[in-house]
Amino acid sequence: PFHYNECVFVHQFGKGSRPIISVDEATAYSGIGRTKLYELTTMENCPFVIWVGTRRVIKRKSFVEYLERQYSI
């Protein structure tokens, strides 16, 4: 199926070109708001966040896989 956000993401960053993306890039890709994304990444068992000091970055592949498994967020 066609996913507009995915096409924009692929156009901007190239398919699979960057394994780590910022929270802003993940927000643009997914359509999930920053507040919700920060809430998700604060969970201790979050499978797609990496902490770099106090900064959080998103493991792109894990994030996409997480989204594909969700019924609702």
Side-chain angles (χ1 to χ4, degrees):
F2 176 78
H3 297 285
Y4 174 76
N5 287 341
E6 186 172 348
C7 289
V8 170
F9 183 80
V10 168
H11 174 73
Q12 289 178 342
F13 306 109
K15 187 170 181 111
S17 64
R18 293 177 47 214
I20 304 298
I21 59 175
S22 70
V23 170
D24 288 337
E25 291 167 338
T27 297
Y29 167 71
S30 66
I32 298 172
R34 282 179 56 92
T35 302
K36 186 63 174 181
L37 198 51
Y38 272 98
E39 180 184 316
L40 292 171
T41 56
T42 301
M43 297 184 312
E44 189 170 323
N45 62 343
C46 181
F48 55 84
V49 68
I50 296 174
W51 289 90
V52 180
T54 59
R55 182 174 172 245
R56 61 190 93 194
V57 293
I58 307 299
K59 296 185 279 187
R60 183 189 50 79
K61 183 177 177 186
S62 296
F63 182 57
V64 171
E65 290 169 355
Y66 174 83
L67 292 176
E68 289 173 347
R69 291 190 309 267
Q70 300 310 301
Y71 173 75
S72 66
I73 295 179

